[in-house]
Amino acid sequence: MTGEIDSAVLANFTSGLDRAIDEAVGTLLVDLSQVDFMSVSGARALVDAHRRAEQCGVAMLIASEGPSSRTLAVTGIDCVLRCYPTVRDALEARRTELSAHVDLDRSATFQTRSG
């Protein structure tokens, strides 16, 4: 995403998020690092997309270094959504999460077989 996310582009932003969720396999990373401005409506669209992603079994991560991070912080959305300062941080967090999940799955499988 680049530029501004405001009422003028909100419909396109929302439909783009919807398409990305439909096409995602497990994880969707929304990179807002090049967004110069995000309105509260844009932030709300992220919350709605996050809910939809969860329903579809998709982990939605947001990289929001820069001006967009202020909107997310002021609205408190950064405490609700999975926001990271950089794409690299978001991917590393997801990698760690998936790695821990695999270890838990192996542990559960092991316990089932030995029990």
Side-chain angles (χ1 to χ4, degrees):
M1 316 288 322
T2 61
E4 297 184 353
I5 300 174
D6 57 17
S7 59
V9 299
L10 189 60
N12 288 339
F13 180 60
T14 302
S15 65
L17 287 170
D18 287 342
R19 275 192 314 277
I21 291 167
D22 290 341
E23 296 172 6
V25 179
T27 305
L28 171 62
L29 175 60
V30 179
D31 181 3
L32 301 175
S33 60
Q34 299 298 312
V35 172
D36 300 321
F37 170 80
M38 177 183 290
S39 68
V40 173
S41 298
R44 174 66 188 188
L46 286 173
V47 172
D48 293 343
H50 179 261
R51 288 185 184 136
R52 185 166 176 271
E54 281 184 331
Q55 292 171 348
C56 295
V58 173
M60 189 171 114
L61 313 174
I62 300 169
S64 62
E65 182 177 46
S68 64
S69 64
R70 281 183 291 221
T71 302
L72 299 177
V74 167
T75 58
I77 290 172
D78 63 337
C79 295
V80 178
L81 303 183
R82 297 168 67 182
C83 298
Y84 302 89
T86 66
V87 168
R88 183 182 195 137
D89 291 333
L91 293 175
E92 184 58 35
R94 183 63 174 156
R95 195 173 302 116
T96 300
E97 177 185 302
L98 290 174
S99 186
H101 181 68
V102 168
D103 289 343
L104 289 174
D105 285 347
R106 287 182 185 154
S107 175
T109 302
F110 176 76
Q111 290 172 0
T112 302
R113 289 183 184 161
S114 64

